[in-house]
Amino acid sequence: MRIKYTLCFSFLLIVALVIIQRENNIIEKVSDKLNSKQTPQTPLLDSGLFWNALGQNGSSLSQTDLLSYKRTKWWLDKNYNNLSGITLPSVPDGRKHILLLASTRTGSSFVGEFFNQQGENMFYLFEPLWHVERMLTLEGGGTNASASVSAYRDVLRQLFLCDFSLLESFIDPPPQAHITAALFRRASSQSLCNTPVCTPTVKKLFERYHCRIRRCGPLNLTLASESCLQKQQLAIKSVRIQHLETLRPLLEDPRLDVRIIQLVRDPRAVLASRMVAFFRKYRSWKSWAKDGDIPEDDIEVKKLKGNCDNIRMSAEVGLKQPSWLRGRYMLVRYEDIARFPLRKAAEMYQFTGIPFTPKVKQWILRSTQASSDVSGVYSTQKNSTQQVEKWRNSMPFKLVQVVQKVCGPTMSLFGYTFAENSEMLTNKLVSLIEERTYL
Ligand SMILES: *[C@@H]1O[C@H](CO)[C@@H](O)[C@H](O)[C@H]1NC(C)=O
Ligand SMILES: *[C@@H]1O[C@H](CO)[C@@H](O)[C@H](O)[C@H]1NC(C)=O
Ligand SMILES: *[C@@H]1O[C@H](CO)[C@@H](O)[C@H](O)[C@H]1NC(C)=O
Ligand SMILES: *[C@@H]1O[C@H](CO)[C@@H](O)[C@H](O)[C@H]1NC(C)=O
Ligand SMILES: *[C@@H]1O[C@H](CO)[C@@H](O)[C@H](O)[C@H]1NC(C)=O
């Protein structure tokens, strides 16, 4: 018996040793490759001259200096976790930061895909602020507005700098050694599911937000950050920023080159869509649709008005083009994207100064011509022309009137025509969208 155990144990030990040896070989090979590629120069770490020479914002750097700076930073990040005491100067390295600003049910997942599909050089994040909102939600629902404004802004700033540490503090359960299986909708970011961020699965583990294009281990945020630093373009989509001017510090941050695309949609269509997608929260609207009068001072009506006002006020700030936002703000209507997806996508790309790749083009063509049975409430694959007008048949005129009343100024600003009666509402020969160009 004992001999059997000993044999068995020895066998296991040998297997384990073989595995460890192989892993080591792989790691060595990989680091050899990295070393030969990335560290041709010795960083001037000790003299400190390098940092002084860079000045405050690195704007006086030549191209060679920039390269060497990047290598140095890479080397430092790789070899030292403790960088406190060294403030890294900013580098005008041509990196672009795009923020897609929207509210729920405005087609932002679909438009976010325009960037997610861009290709190798894009790092796209889908609703990272979900974690922040969740953590800051008060017991009675709702969030602490003043606390969330600065938290949203600070997390965005860090993410645009490829730094996940602040976001980590909002993820629940907290990441262990920068590893998490709980990043909201990870699968919606190709950058988090492609190599090198997709690591091999080690053991079977339940992950709510796992990658779908391939099997990956839990998300290593250090790896994500490294990958982000290699990319020239970053795009973040968020439906949680309510006031554009709260982002002013980001636009004035010399380390960032932020472009904001605000996506808006007809508030009547948004309400119709929310009544389906968030049916529990929109119970009152449902019951009003069936029967009864709509109390004008109802909290739900007030909430709708508040949403519309916030969107309008942000757009007013943007369209006014204050100096901190000049050339950095673009307003896009969902209806225009749905009707002319390629043209609008091209315009958005031109605005951001990023190449409009064939890959994006292909994706848009594929998705906008998809047959209408590929649905599901979060699906981005819809017959978009059809989709734009659908609400006109599903929404009672009574509700439309309420939206038109409380969201009137917002609708006028964006060129959405009021329906004067239920015939006008359902007659598809009458367009409820004025042609507008905002640029
Ligand atoms: C930083 O850059 C700005 C222009 O972008 C320049 O006016 C300023 O002097 C620079 N500051 C330093 C310390 O180099
Ligand atoms: C990090 O650096 C600071 C300042 O240089 C030093 O006081 C601290 O002990 C360092 N921490 C570690 C873990 O090395
Ligand atoms: C909201 O946050 C601020 C700090 O940002 C805090 O002073 C205040 O007490 C908070 N209010 C509530 C109701 O939690
Ligand atoms: C996460 O990635 C970093 C950077 O590549 C690596 O150093 C670290 O070991 C990884 N963590 C785990 C648990 O694999
Ligand atoms: C999409 O909807 C429009 C309008 O109803 C229709 O004309 C078109 O044929 C549809 N396209 C596809 C691929 O289903």
Side-chain angles (χ1 to χ4, degrees):
M1 203 61 176
R2 190 176 285 171
I3 290 173
K4 231 182 183 175
Y5 271 123
T6 313
L7 276 178
C8 202
F9 181 71
S10 312
F11 176 69
L12 282 179
L13 194 66
I14 289 165
V15 169
L17 283 174
V18 167
I19 290 173
I20 290 169
Q21 187 55 37
R22 278 183 57 180
E23 295 246 320
N24 275 341
N25 280 341
I26 291 169
I27 290 169
E28 264 162 31
K29 266 187 209 151
V30 171
S31 44
D32 278 354
K33 255 199 189 147
L34 281 177
N35 283 338
S36 64
K37 258 207 318 226
Q38 304 267 9
T39 45
Q41 295 188 348
T42 317
L44 306 169
L45 185 64
D46 293 332
S47 67
L49 283 175
F50 192 81
W51 305 106
N52 291 334
L54 280 170
Q56 281 299 303
N57 52 16
S59 54
S60 57
L61 289 179
S62 68
Q63 279 306 310
T64 19
D65 284 338
L66 267 181
L67 254 181
S68 127
Y69 163 77
K70 278 189 183 166
R71 280 197 205 102
T72 310
K73 181 172 180 336
W74 181 87
W75 187 88
L76 277 171
D77 288 346
K78 200 88 199 147
N79 293 280
Y80 291 85
N81 283 323
N82 185 8
L83 285 179
S84 56
I86 304 175
T87 40
L88 294 176
S90 70
V91 179
D93 57 0
R95 189 175 285 162
K96 299 268 192 315
H97 309 86
I98 300 151
L99 184 61
L100 181 59
L101 212 63
S103 41
T104 55
R105 312 313 293 175
T106 56
S108 61
S109 303
F110 178 68
V111 179
E113 285 299 309
F114 289 12
F115 296 103
N116 192 32
Q117 298 289 335
Q118 203 263 355
E120 294 277 285
N121 237 330
M122 171 66 72
F123 194 85
Y124 173 76
L125 293 174
F126 178 97
E127 293 298 339
L129 300 183
W130 181 87
H131 292 284
V132 181
E133 182 184 50
R134 194 152 171 262
M135 195 67 98
L136 295 181
T137 298
L138 305 169
E139 275 192 15
T143 50
N144 181 338
S146 61
S148 55
V149 160
S150 50
Y152 288 153
R153 182 177 54 220
D154 294 346
V155 170
L156 277 182
R157 188 200 306 262
Q158 277 211 354
L159 290 175
F160 275 145
L161 294 167
C162 298
D163 181 343
F164 286 81
S165 52
L166 191 55
L167 180 65
E168 279 192 33
S169 60
F170 289 99
I171 297 176
D172 181 31
Q176 298 296 310
H178 310 292
I179 307 283
T180 180
L183 190 86
F184 179 61
R185 301 271 307 263
R186 173 187 182 185
S188 298
S189 300
Q190 287 199 358
S191 350
L192 299 181
C193 290
N194 280 335
T195 44
V197 184
C198 179
T199 51
T201 35
V202 182
K203 56 181 178 213
K204 265 216 158 120
L205 180 80
F206 173 74
E207 284 186 57
R208 173 135 190 243
Y209 301 115
H210 55 89
C211 288
R212 273 187 233 109
I213 43 175
R214 69 194 65 188
R215 287 174 57 115
C216 303
L219 178 61
N220 180 337
L221 290 163
T222 311
L223 211 51
S225 165
E226 284 172 4
S227 168
C228 172
L229 283 168
Q230 306 291 323
K231 315 260 173 157
Q232 276 306 94
Q233 291 120 26
L234 265 98
I236 298 178
K237 159 186 127 62
S238 179
V239 294
R240 292 179 164 77
I241 305 290
Q242 300 200 332
H243 301 280
L244 178 56
E245 65 274 22
T246 60
L247 297 178
R248 181 170 174 169
L250 295 195
L251 287 122
E252 291 177 334
D253 190 320
R255 295 167 299 179
L256 303 177
D257 183 2
V258 180
R259 306 285 150 103
I260 292 181
I261 297 176
Q262 186 180 2
L263 178 65
V264 299
R265 184 181 184 185
D266 190 328
R268 295 167 296 192
V270 171
L271 178 61
S273 176
R274 286 183 184 161
M275 282 170 65
V276 175
F278 312 133
F279 57 93
R280 277 204 197 84
K281 267 187 167 170
Y282 281 76
R283 234 184 249 136
S284 326
W285 290 97
K286 285 226 127 145
S287 67
W288 293 328
K290 277 208 209 87
D291 52 359
D293 291 334
I294 304 170
E296 264 183 41
D297 57 351
D298 187 274
I299 180 115
E300 291 300 323
V301 180
K302 285 199 178 127
K303 248 193 240 163
L304 176 68
K305 179 169 162 40
N307 282 339
C308 276
D309 288 343
N310 286 341
I311 293 166
R312 177 176 49 79
M313 288 187 293
S314 286
E316 281 168 352
V317 169
L319 294 172
K320 237 184 265 157
Q321 301 269 330
S323 58
W324 56 274
L325 208 51
R326 194 155 297 149
R328 298 181 175 280
Y329 173 84
M330 183 186 192
L331 179 69
V332 185
R333 297 188 303 183
Y334 170 72
E335 292 79 8
D336 293 328
I337 291 177
R339 292 180 301 163
F340 320 110
L342 273 184
R343 192 207 303 168
K344 294 313 279 187
E347 279 175 24
M348 286 159 66
Y349 267 95
Q350 194 179 15
F351 162 73
T352 55
I354 294 173
F356 187 39
T357 56
K359 196 166 168 270
V360 189
K361 228 173 267 184
Q362 286 309 316
W363 184 87
I364 293 174
L365 283 175
R366 262 204 326 274
S367 328
T368 50
Q369 284 160 12
S371 77
S372 47
D373 59 39
V374 193
S375 59
V377 279
Y378 283 109
S379 168
T380 51
Q381 305 218 334
K382 288 169 183 165
N383 181 334
S384 34
T385 307
Q386 219 170 32
Q387 202 61 26
V388 167
E389 303 254 274
K390 221 174 100 190
W391 66 272
R392 294 176 65 175
N393 285 351
S394 70
M395 196 176 207
F397 183 62
K398 192 166 60 171
L399 295 198
V400 170
Q401 274 178 306
V402 175
V403 181
Q404 291 179 168
K405 185 153 184 209
V406 302
C407 297
T410 310
M411 288 176 57
S412 305
L413 179 66
F414 300 142
Y416 299 125
T417 312
F418 287 36
E420 279 154 24
N421 47 48
S422 56
E423 287 71 45
M424 182 174 171
L425 174 65
T426 48
N427 181 359
K428 297 278 177 70
L429 296 174
V430 181
S431 168
L432 296 182
I433 304 164
E434 283 170 42
E435 298 309 319
R436 291 271 176 98
T437 41
Y438 305 90
L439 265 178

